[in-house]
């Protein structure tokens, strides 16, 4: 799957660099890795703390699918990261739908998917992954310290970033092939198994670009992730709701 690797000691953001390469024709399988980022980005234009020690990379894909299926690739990558962490670090991490990798409700990593597409076809997708591998809790800004963790913090020793990267890519390659051949269902089974929200009471703030243009908090029970990769919520009032993307808090 990996056709071209660009490694940097420092980059503003692997995501921005990868998007720029993709706009200029980079092939599917172009991988950008940075030892540190000076302007790492998370979802919703949040900044992403990414000094030396963590694993920060972006991958260019050119899937021949409808743009509407892209959130499923996001979930596949989250699962690839979760399985790699379980296999290499041996700790029980879970998915906080749609894109957070957590250990005991503390954020360990995240996935950011961005694309250039029109209604019917995708020109390119860039999937960015940030994983707090060898960071100490004290390295994080105070405002984040209660909400985050790192692999080193949880297992007590550093981990080889390249071994974990290799495992994530191996897992993702397998899922991407399954996705293209058999669709999303075979992968969804494992996503559900690894999702920490199902059966819990949650508060969710829908993204503004969601179909219902909600952008208000909904409280209720998270029931399932459906075949579109959407989260099904039974709100305290009203009918079952299908959320395509948003920010979720476990209550
Ligand atoms: C999130 O949880 O909000 C997603 C975080 C994604 C961060 C990664 S680090 C590598 C890549 N480059 C960036 O600027 N962002 C992504």
């Amino acid at each position: 799957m990996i056709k071209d690797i660009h490694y940097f000691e420092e980059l503003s953001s692997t995501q921005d660099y990868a998007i720029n390469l993709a706009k200029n024709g980079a092939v599917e399988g172009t991988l950008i890795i940075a030892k540190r980022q000076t302007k790492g980005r998370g979802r919703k234009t949040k900044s992403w703390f990414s000094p030396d020690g963590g694993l920060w990379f972006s991958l260019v894909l050119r899937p021949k699918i409808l743009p509407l299926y892209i959130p499923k690739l996001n979930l596949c990558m989250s699962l690839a990261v979760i399985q790699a962490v379980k296999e290499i670090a041996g700790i029980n991490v879970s998915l906080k739908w749609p894109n957070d990798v957590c250990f005991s409700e503390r954020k360990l990593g995240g996935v950011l998917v961005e694309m250039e597409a029109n209604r019917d076809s995708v020109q390119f997708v860039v999937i960015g992954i940030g994983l707090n591998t060898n960071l100490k809790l004290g390295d994080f800004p105070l405002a984040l310290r209660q909400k985050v963790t790192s692999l080193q913090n949880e297992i007590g020793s550093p981990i080889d970033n390249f071994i974990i990267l290799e495992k994530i890519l191996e897992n993702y390659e397998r899922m991407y092939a399954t996705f293209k051949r058999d669709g999303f269902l075979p992968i969804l089974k494992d996503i559900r198994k690894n999702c920490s929200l199902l059966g819990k009471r949650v508060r969710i703030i829908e993204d503004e670009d969601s179909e219902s243009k909600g952008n208000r908090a909904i409280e209720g029970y998270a029931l399932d992730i459906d075949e579109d990769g959407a989260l099904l919520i039974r709100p305290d009032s009203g009918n079952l709701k299908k959320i395509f993307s948003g920010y979720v808090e476990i209550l």
Side-chain angles (χ1 to χ4, degrees):
M1 167 182 241
I2 300 304
K3 298 275 164 36
D4 193 12
I5 301 181
H6 301 243
Y7 176 81
F8 298 88
E9 288 282 311
E10 183 177 294
L11 210 56
S12 54
S13 155
T14 59
Q15 197 73 2
D16 292 342
Y17 195 89
I19 288 173
N20 197 34
L21 283 188
K23 283 187 172 154
N24 287 293
V27 292
E28 167 154 294
T30 301
L31 178 68
I32 319 299
I33 313 164
K35 199 166 167 221
R36 59 181 169 273
Q37 300 182 116
T38 52
K39 277 198 180 141
R41 300 189 286 111
R43 288 180 74 220
K44 313 215 94 220
T45 65
K46 283 190 182 153
S47 66
W48 181 263
F49 181 65
S50 31
D52 278 1
L55 177 59
W56 327 120
F57 68 95
S58 298
L59 177 65
V60 177
L61 296 176
R62 296 189 180 275
K64 292 184 181 50
I65 56 175
L66 293 172
L68 132 124
Y69 295 142
I70 297 301
K72 299 179 191 179
L73 291 183
N74 181 349
L75 289 170
C76 290
M77 182 54 93
S78 304
L79 181 64
V81 175
I82 285 169
Q83 290 181 341
V85 170
K86 283 184 173 177
E87 284 158 348
I88 307 284
I91 59 170
N92 195 19
V93 285
S94 60
L95 168 72
K96 189 167 144 250
W97 180 95
N99 75 323
D100 289 357
V101 176
C102 292
F103 179 82
S104 300
E105 292 186 32
R106 281 172 174 259
K107 186 152 168 167
L108 195 60
V111 177
L112 175 67
V113 174
E114 295 172 310
M115 65 174 155
E116 195 164 282
N118 54 37
R119 198 143 38 110
D120 314 313
S121 64
V122 174
Q123 270 75 58
F124 65 79
V125 176
V126 172
I127 308 192
I129 289 86
L131 187 64
N132 302 332
T133 48
N134 302 317
L135 303 184
K136 299 191 185 73
L137 217 46
D139 294 341
F140 288 92
L142 264 178
L144 291 178
R145 248 173 249 176
Q146 302 298 319
K147 302 180 192 154
V148 296
T149 189
S150 73
L151 288 180
Q152 182 169 356
N153 189 48
E154 298 304 335
I155 61 179
S157 55
I159 202 142
D160 188 322
N161 272 338
F162 289 100
I163 292 183
I164 202 141
L165 170 65
E166 209 177 2
K167 198 45 142 184
I168 294 171
L169 294 173
E170 184 188 308
N171 290 346
Y172 193 66
E173 180 166 11
R174 198 181 56 246
M175 281 176 224
Y176 192 47
T178 305
F179 181 80
K180 287 195 284 190
R181 195 184 54 235
D182 307 322
F184 185 52
L185 270 185
I187 306 163
L188 179 58
K189 193 169 59 57
D190 284 331
I191 291 174
R192 284 175 174 143
K193 252 192 257 162
N194 283 282
C195 180
S196 59
L197 303 180
L198 302 184
K200 304 229 172 86
R201 235 184 104 67
V202 296
R203 175 182 300 121
I204 174 152
I205 301 169
E206 258 187 294
D207 282 346
E208 283 165 58
D209 50 357
S210 267
E211 275 197 342
S212 66
K213 310 256 181 293
N215 200 26
R216 62 196 163 85
I218 304 164
E219 289 187 13
Y221 283 91
L223 298 184
D224 198 10
I225 298 172
D226 76 359
E227 290 167 28
D228 294 324
L231 188 67
L232 300 183
I233 302 280
R234 190 175 60 221
D236 296 340
S237 57
N239 299 328
L240 198 72
K241 221 168 155 16
K242 179 162 169 160
I243 314 279
F244 286 91
S245 87
Y247 172 77
V248 188
E249 239 179 294
I250 300 179
L251 296 174

